[in-house]
Amino acid sequence: RPGFLRQYRTLQRQQLRSTLRSPGTLAARVGLHFLTGVLMGCVYFDMETSYIEAPTGLRHVLPLPLQRHSSMPENRVGVLFLLVLAQTVTPNCAMPFFIDDRQYYTKESAARLYGALPYHLANAASEAVVCALNGILASGIATYLAGLPLSGQWFPTMAFLVSHHMCSSALVQMCARLAPNQDVAFVLSAGYIIVYMLFANIVVKVCTVTPYLAWIRWCTFMYFTMAGLIEVEFEDTFEQGYPAGEKAIEGFLIHVGSGEDIYTFHQGGLLRDPLVLLPDLLHGGLSRPEIWE
């Protein structure tokens, strides 16, 4: 059997050919994300960007009950949550493709044509490219039409949304690999999505959940995604000297520890600092509160 690098190159070319030979599947996935971005952006099109200022243009001549008053924080949190939820659900549309691919892998792996590691690396690289393009397409259209982000930090917003979509695709592939058939894979994926929704700190505030279940939030990447997106969206947002986004951010900050050993993770280190601090937190090596930015 050839070496690892040759196996990987061969399998990577195979993945590329498989993608190009199924243009209908690829077009359907791209079209779905394009439609998602357009619909999401149209629903939240031209949201108010002010807490205080009165409606402008033709809006101010309408009768008062018909004027669109600003509920900017709620609207923007809502569109971010729905966009993240859409990015979580859409990979399920490719579930049959992952199931079929698993059948070929099972036969070829049983014949010892290649190892598991080069196959999964090639599969992850190919899927990451497709997911990144789809994530940028849907997120870029929706955020542009809705007027996000308010803070002007477009790149961090896209980074959180695209990385979340890639994690969601990996979740669907995991269900497709572990489940005995497609129906069970869909059930597993749907169950994970429901848990993610509950612990995203939107539908239910995590601080009100019983401690026996609150730990589940650490296993749901939507919890981290929403915390980072909210802080990016409202960071350093002032209106007439008032910190407009401060209250919205406070409800999504991630706190680790209790008492004197409380640590608050901000979006700049949301994906980096927990991994660095985890060994020290587990072994009690950190004894004074710090703010990581």
Side-chain angles (χ1 to χ4, degrees):
R1 195 165 64 175
F4 174 83
L5 292 178
R6 187 175 178 184
Q7 290 183 45
Y8 174 77
R9 289 197 301 267
T10 303
L11 290 168
Q12 193 65 74
R13 289 197 298 268
Q14 178 181 337
Q15 289 287 340
L16 178 61
R17 287 195 299 268
S18 177
T19 302
L20 296 179
R21 288 174 179 175
S22 304
T25 302
L26 183 61
R29 296 179 67 181
V30 174
L32 174 64
H33 286 83
F34 175 79
L35 183 61
T36 300
V38 171
L39 289 176
M40 197 77 66
C42 290
V43 169
Y44 288 93
F45 180 73
D46 190 26
M47 287 192 298
E48 293 287 356
T49 60
S50 171
Y51 285 85
I52 303 170
E53 295 178 359
T56 59
L58 295 177
R59 295 175 188 159
H60 75 280
V61 302
L62 296 173
L64 189 60
L66 299 180
Q67 292 186 13
R68 185 177 60 180
H69 296 283
S70 175
S71 58
M72 186 262 290
E74 293 81 3
N75 282 345
R76 290 178 180 268
V77 171
V79 68
L80 288 172
F81 175 67
L82 290 178
L83 189 54
V84 168
L85 183 60
Q87 299 281 46
T88 307
V89 173
T90 49
N92 285 274
C93 299
M95 180 77 77
F97 178 77
F98 299 143
I99 295 292
D100 293 340
D101 187 65
R102 185 189 68 175
Q103 296 175 0
Y104 291 108
Y105 164 71
T106 302
K107 296 177 182 178
E108 294 172 351
S109 179
R112 296 185 57 81
L113 296 180
Y114 47 77
L117 182 58
Y119 168 79
H120 288 294
L121 285 178
N123 187 27
S126 301
E127 192 62 24
V129 173
V130 176
C131 288
L133 293 176
N134 286 337
I136 292 173
L137 180 64
S139 303
I141 294 174
T143 53
Y144 174 77
L145 293 177
L148 279 70
L150 183 67
S151 62
Q153 300 186 50
W154 186 84
F155 180 78
T157 301
M158 289 296 104
F160 274 105
L161 289 170
V162 172
S163 61
H164 177 84
H165 182 56
M166 295 172 70
C167 290
S168 300
S169 178
L171 167 67
V172 173
Q173 290 194 62
M174 181 190 71
C175 295
R177 306 292 179 190
L178 297 178
N181 54 59
Q182 182 172 312
D183 294 336
V184 177
F186 271 117
V187 171
L188 288 176
S189 178
Y192 278 120
I193 292 173
I194 292 173
V195 173
Y196 289 164
M197 289 176 58
L198 290 176
F199 289 90
N201 214 18
I202 300 291
V203 179
V204 178
K205 289 299 180 182
V206 176
C207 61
T208 65
V209 178
T210 174
Y212 296 104
L213 296 177
W215 63 268
I216 298 177
R217 69 184 184 273
W218 304 116
C219 305
T220 60
F221 49 84
M222 189 182 290
Y223 174 71
F224 298 96
T225 301
M226 288 305 304
L229 283 173
I230 296 302
E231 186 164 357
V232 170
E233 177 67 22
F234 295 104
E235 186 178 35
D236 298 328
T237 301
F238 288 84
E239 185 170 355
Q240 297 183 9
Y242 174 73
E246 190 177 69
K247 187 174 181 181
I249 293 176
E250 286 178 357
F252 289 88
L253 290 177
I254 294 179
H255 304 286
V256 177
S258 60
E260 295 183 355
D261 297 328
I262 295 181
Y263 302 88
T264 303
F265 297 104
H266 295 273
Q267 60 92 8
L270 196 58
L271 302 179
R272 173 178 57 85
D273 291 335
L275 299 179
V276 176
L277 291 177
L278 185 57
D280 292 328
L281 289 171
L282 293 177
H283 294 88
L286 300 176
S287 58
R288 60 187 179 86
E290 299 178 5
I291 301 297
W292 289 76
E293 297 188 18

